[in-house]
Amino acid sequence: MTGVSVTGEIDAPLPGPADFAAWRGQARRFLAAGLPPALVSWRVAGEAPGLFASAAPPETVAPLSASVPASVPRSFLEAAETAIRHRDPQRFALLYRLLWRLAHDEPGLMQVATDPDVLRLHAMAKSVRRDAHKMHAFVRFRCVEMADAPDEDSGADPVGAHYVAWFEPEHHILEAEAGFFIRRFAGLRWSILTPEASAHWDGATLRMGPGGTRREAPAEDAHEALWRAYYRSVFNPARLKPAAMRAEMPVKYWRNLPEAREIRGLIADAPRRTAEMLARGVSAPILRRQRPPPAAVQPTALPDVAETMPADLFSRVEDPAAALAALRAGLMGRNDLPPWTAASTQPVFGEGPLGAPLMFVGEQPGDEEDLAGRPFVGPAGRLFDRAAAEAGIDRSATYVTNAVKHFKFKPTGRRRLHQSPDAGDITYYRPFLKREIELVTPGLVVSLGATALRALTGKPLPITRVRGEMIEAPEGFRIFPTVHPSYLLRLPDPASKEREYARFVADLVAAREAADRLGS
Ligand code: URA
């Protein structure tokens, strides 16, 4: 490592407040030049340089030579790339100090969980991730500009409408999170304004701009009343828990949320509405949905997270369709989602009619499902459709969903490689699946593969042992286990493919007949 002779601090301006590539390039040069952390004064360009800082000597700004220091652990790079978005002005210095220590006799530093620098790094990365989750959940776009009149038949906004949202993130996350909104609203023209920067998407290109003010974003638009009416309709006064509600939706976000204007009134009216509901008693459809007590399968040994859920997502409601929509919205608003979900495009919930005679439960959305926001539309879905049609099942009359609602994958080059959910993932989503079943009330639930079966029964059961046998779930609904269609796709030779496909179709026929019997 070459040593640079320096007196005083070196001024290290970075082009942006969260420019990881620039920090990384600069830090590697400083490291290669042997510049200790105490001699670097980091700042964002535009901010005043440190009092004692001077311009960097040429050795530290020249292109990297062959003497670049050895590589650093991936865990450091991953956490650093997130933590650099933190608001703490000391973030660049902390990252460089960690890099320096990793390169100077402390290669195992990232494993020292009690080290104050490592602790701070993880705390900052966690806070940034939490801020990102809040942004995903609480950004609300309002339509500011219509190119043409709305479509009269569908009421849909015309192409060319411009949507603007105001959001106040805690950290410098706007540019990093813009991708989430591009994926979700790819076809719309939108802007997100924050106090420090703005992001503008025109349907093809993302442009970053200067910060804005709350007044530049409209406080209301034509959809406001509809959204608020929807919120009122899914609010369950009998399960009101203001503290849990505030934890899910901190008050500081209320100013931007149209539904927040309903909250005070709904809370004030809750006792009256609850008394009214009690006086009305249990309605007939809910009685019909109750099933006999558990039989074959013992209650789950796995813990579940239902207790931590906002109460009104897990209570009985009068409108199951609205409750399903609220369940989906509730999942999107959670701030304790498994960290890998941040890379996915969106949660994929089930689709199909309420009260469907058959509900199919798969493992998790794949690449195509993640992009489309619909279950079983990729290669496994196409095979499933073909087999279902051969078995005399009309998919549109069934409800199709997954045990895990986000796509878990490993990025490899341009492809996103499916990764199986682990027991923790299955447990996390279980309350959502159970509630989905409770609201859909299918005649028979067909589990496709091991993950679905585990999610439904609460324990790992070998498919080979229980395939085609009717099992009763702890909650009383009936499960018909079979294999997952992607198992058929993975079989290596045509003969076994054909044989297993025929077995799968036969299972679907048996499931259809069982559902017919249960329904008659
Ligand atoms: N595999 C699944 O389990 N579900 C899907 O939705 C797609 C593929």
Side-chain angles (χ1 to χ4, degrees):
M1 203 171 282
T2 37
V4 186
S5 117
V6 179
T7 50
E9 290 175 1
I10 297 300
D11 181 31
L14 294 170
D19 192 334
F20 185 66
W23 173 86
R24 186 178 175 175
Q26 191 66 291
R28 292 177 77 199
R29 287 186 180 89
F30 289 162
L31 199 57
L35 203 60
L39 291 187
V40 184
S41 173
W42 297 94
R43 69 182 169 100
V44 179
E47 292 172 0
L51 268 188
F52 305 106
S54 55
E59 298 91 311
T60 64
V61 291
L64 274 177
S65 67
S67 65
V68 173
S71 64
V72 287
R74 176 174 287 277
S75 58
F76 167 72
L77 289 177
E78 281 172 3
E81 188 164 8
T82 305
I84 204 165
R85 297 172 204 146
H86 200 279
R87 177 164 299 280
D88 186 343
Q90 294 305 316
R91 62 195 179 282
F92 307 123
L94 171 79
L95 299 185
Y96 185 53
R97 192 163 60 245
L98 278 160
L99 182 64
W100 178 270
R101 292 178 61 193
L102 284 163
H104 289 87
D105 306 328
E106 292 185 78
L109 177 60
M110 291 303 289
Q111 270 80 56
V112 186
T114 52
D115 182 274
D117 283 346
V118 174
L119 274 174
R120 180 75 190 128
L121 172 73
H122 287 310
M124 289 195 336
K126 187 172 174 191
S127 175
V128 168
R129 282 196 299 272
R130 187 182 156 84
D131 199 26
H133 282 306
K134 293 289 178 211
M135 183 172 182
H136 296 177
F138 296 135
V139 158
R140 295 284 184 273
F141 288 101
R142 269 96 175 187
C143 189
V144 288
E145 186 187 311
M146 295 281 200
D148 309 299
D151 180 330
E152 285 197 354
D153 291 333
S154 65
D157 290 338
V159 181
H162 185 197
Y163 295 84
V164 177
W166 169 251
F167 190 72
E168 291 168 78
E170 231 170 88
H171 304 298
H172 304 286
I173 58 171
L174 178 62
E175 189 162 3
E177 298 311 320
F180 172 86
F181 295 95
I182 291 173
R183 288 193 296 274
R184 175 157 303 174
F185 304 113
L188 300 182
R189 193 155 67 91
W190 54 254
S191 297
I192 302 176
L193 311 182
T194 76
E196 283 167 0
S198 52
H200 308 270
W201 174 250
D202 62 7
T205 315
L206 178 72
R207 184 174 58 78
M208 297 303 295
T213 61
R214 175 190 302 280
R215 260 176 294 144
E216 288 170 72
E220 289 211 355
D221 72 5
H223 302 301
E224 204 88 357
L226 189 63
W227 177 245
R228 286 167 62 174
Y230 164 75
Y231 186 78
R232 284 195 301 274
S233 78
V234 297
F235 179 87
N236 184 343
R239 301 301 296 261
L240 176 65
K241 285 195 179 160
M245 204 166 164
R246 267 193 290 276
E248 275 305 302
M249 193 197 275
V251 173
K252 74 172 191 172
Y253 299 109
W254 287 24
R255 275 187 300 182
N256 300 323
L257 302 175
E259 62 268 35
R261 295 184 207 170
E262 300 296 325
I263 292 175
R264 283 193 178 79
L266 288 168
I267 290 178
D269 203 25
R272 185 193 61 77
R273 286 182 59 200
T274 308
E276 217 177 79
M277 282 163 72
L278 285 171
R280 257 204 324 268
V282 181
S283 60
I286 291 174
L287 282 174
R288 255 200 292 122
R289 284 209 297 276
Q290 287 172 348
R291 302 265 180 214
V297 174
Q298 294 308 308
T300 170
L302 292 171
D304 78 33
V305 295
E307 301 80 43
T308 69
M309 299 276 181
D312 57 350
L313 295 186
F314 288 87
S315 58
R316 292 196 184 287
V317 289
E318 287 153 29
D319 182 348
L324 268 178
L327 190 65
R328 183 190 160 90
L331 179 61
M332 285 165 69
R334 292 195 65 80
N335 57 23
D336 63 348
L337 284 166
W340 53 263
T341 59
S344 69
T345 310
Q346 56 193 317
V348 178
F349 260 81
E351 60 180 26
L354 297 174
L358 281 168
M359 176 194 247
F360 291 94
V361 181
E363 181 197 68
Q364 62 169 347
D367 182 75
E368 289 186 42
E369 287 81 11
D370 172 70
L371 296 172
R374 296 182 53 212
F376 281 102
V377 293
R382 287 189 280 278
L383 184 86
F384 168 71
D385 285 352
R386 183 154 66 89
E390 271 183 48
I393 296 170
D394 171 9
R395 173 172 169 168
S396 68
T398 71
Y399 190 93
V400 179
T401 192
N402 283 301
V404 167
K405 309 297 187 197
H406 285 90
F407 176 34
K408 187 173 187 181
F409 65 91
K410 201 157 107 200
T412 49
R414 295 216 321 262
R415 291 194 56 218
R416 305 192 294 172
L417 260 196
H418 165 276
Q419 277 200 302
S420 296
D422 59 27
D425 300 326
I426 298 171
T427 306
Y428 182 86
Y429 289 96
R430 237 182 129 219
F432 288 92
L433 177 64
K434 286 196 290 183
R435 181 62 166 159
E436 204 177 9
I437 295 170
E438 194 185 1
L439 293 167
V440 174
T441 62
L444 177 64
V445 179
V446 181
S447 63
L448 302 171
T451 297
L453 188 57
R454 182 171 186 157
L456 291 164
T457 61
K459 58 186 189 182
L461 289 172
I463 304 251
T464 42
R465 222 186 67 209
V466 293
R467 180 173 184 176
E469 272 176 30
M470 196 82 88
I471 293 180
E472 195 140 341
E475 294 77 11
F477 58 82
R478 289 177 179 79
I479 308 165
F480 182 100
T482 183
V483 293
H484 193 284
S486 42
Y487 155 71
L488 308 176
L489 290 173
R490 285 196 302 270
L491 288 170
D493 63 293
S496 50
K497 255 192 166 78
E498 201 175 317
R499 188 187 61 241
E500 285 301 311
Y501 177 76
R503 270 190 83 191
F504 183 56
V505 173
D507 279 354
L508 297 187
V509 170
R512 173 176 56 75
E513 289 173 352
D516 286 348
R517 280 195 303 277
L518 288 169
S520 59

